[in-house]
Amino acid sequence: MSAIAIIGGTGVYDPNMFDTMTESSLMTPYGEIHYVCGTYEGKTVYFLARHGRDHSIPPHKINYRANIWGLKKLGVKFIVSTTAVGSLDQNFGPGHFVLTDQFLDFTKNRVNTFYEGGDRPVAHVDVTEPYSPELRGIVENAAKSLGLTVHNGGTYVCTEGPRFESPAEIRMYAMLGGQTVGMTNVPEVTLANEAEMAYMTISMVTNYAAGISKSALTHGEVVDMMQQMAEQLQSLVKEVIKGIDVNADYPAHHRMSEYGGFQL
Ligand code: HPA
């Protein structure tokens, strides 16, 4: 039976979220990953803290390839990732959940593919629909059933970080159609697509982006808002796990068929 993974970002890790949780690690060709394995509603769920167990890995140093490869190796077919974002859109206020459907990639120094030639030939993954519409639908229904404010669709701008953006950058991103901004979704989303897993992101709006917000941004306000939303997020994740059919087969699971499929 295939498994579900929750990739958690800033402030969401809770070791008591699922039944029977055990910590483990796995060595991948890209480095070691640490994860927690649990079961919920009879389904196997892996929890991976993107920034490390003690939040020590900054966004530009995250080993995205090890994380995604490791989850694939563990039999994961469905990834629900969570992330904190700033908002560029007046309709997306702090405390809202946005189910990202597109990204704009402004990262600079990240290895962003498994296909580097050699054993893995040149390949160009299709990202017309990088965030599984099927999983987004499940999350939207779950969020509505819990009475949360949710927007199904939103364009995420991924910056290199770790600094926040300048107001001029935010104005530019907004002109280009960006609605939320964060530092971690790319290349996580594209690697998951290369590895033929259905992937979606629950973005939690923690603040209005620089220049839109009246005051200077602090990491503290991001963490405070995440903590305020943590309980809602946990209820949402549980509801989503209930809603996922682990035997479902989505287009994302065949993303690399033109290249003979993704090989571990
Ligand atoms: N910018 C970038 N990343 C973020 C922000 C932001 O305003 N808020 C939460 N993560």
Side-chain angles (χ1 to χ4, degrees):
M1 192 174 67
S2 55
I4 300 166
I6 311 298
I7 302 183
T10 305
V12 272
Y13 183 71
D14 179 357
N16 300 317
M17 216 160 138
F18 309 127
D19 322 325
T20 63
M21 297 186 73
T22 47
E23 279 194 42
S24 247
S25 62
L26 175 77
M27 188 49 94
T28 79
Y30 307 100
E32 194 173 32
I33 64 162
H34 298 271
Y35 60 89
V36 173
C37 179
T39 49
Y40 189 68
E41 294 277 317
K43 299 172 187 173
T44 304
V45 184
Y46 294 101
F47 189 99
L48 190 70
R50 187 188 288 118
H51 294 276
R53 286 172 296 182
D54 48 3
H55 202 91
S56 59
I57 312 170
H60 61 297
K61 294 266 171 111
I62 291 169
N63 195 340
Y64 295 99
R65 287 198 299 185
N67 288 348
I68 296 297
W69 197 97
L71 294 178
K72 181 77 179 178
K73 181 82 182 166
L74 290 166
V76 169
K77 274 181 78 176
F78 308 91
I79 299 179
V80 174
S81 85
T82 69
T83 187
V85 293
S87 171
L88 284 65
D89 184 325
Q90 293 293 347
N91 295 318
F92 296 173
H96 293 194
F97 292 83
V98 181
L99 313 183
T100 302
D101 69 338
Q102 287 291 315
F103 63 79
L104 288 167
D105 179 10
F106 281 89
T107 63
K108 294 175 184 158
N109 286 311
R110 301 181 186 189
V111 186
N112 61 9
T113 183
F114 290 111
Y115 289 85
E116 294 195 292
D119 288 351
R120 267 184 225 284
V122 175
H124 307 282
V125 66
D126 168 49
V127 287
T128 305
E129 213 143 42
Y131 301 89
S132 163
E134 301 88 356
L135 288 182
R136 282 194 288 117
I138 292 168
V139 178
E140 182 185 18
N141 289 339
K144 285 186 174 158
S145 76
L146 294 168
L148 305 177
T149 307
V150 63
H151 307 274
N152 191 353
T155 297
Y156 174 108
V157 178
C158 194
T159 67
E160 183 65 15
R163 66 170 175 81
F164 286 124
E165 303 71 40
S166 70
E169 287 170 324
I170 292 298
R171 283 196 297 275
M172 174 186 75
Y173 296 144
M175 285 169 73
L176 296 176
Q179 293 168 289
T180 61
V181 60
M183 304 175 191
T184 55
N185 215 235
V186 185
E188 194 173 271
V189 56
T190 51
L191 289 167
N193 275 272
E194 282 191 352
E196 300 191 302
M197 290 184 274
Y199 177 98
M200 70 81 59
T201 297
I202 302 173
S203 292
M204 284 168 287
V205 179
T206 53
N207 57 282
Y208 281 112
I212 299 175
S213 165
K214 308 263 174 299
S215 50
L217 298 186
T218 63
H219 181 59
E221 76 180 280
V222 171
V223 173
D224 281 353
M225 182 48 96
M226 285 296 288
Q227 273 162 1
Q228 283 181 44
M229 295 176 79
E231 227 171 274
Q232 292 180 332
L233 178 66
Q234 284 178 25
S235 311
L236 178 57
V237 164
K238 286 179 173 171
E239 213 43 44
V240 167
I241 293 168
K242 277 191 212 163
I244 293 178
D245 169 6
V246 287
N247 297 311
D249 189 62
Y250 298 150
H253 297 129
H254 308 281
R255 195 70 85 206
M256 304 307 285
S257 56
E258 214 183 332
Y259 303 96
F262 180 79
Q263 314 296 331
L264 276 172

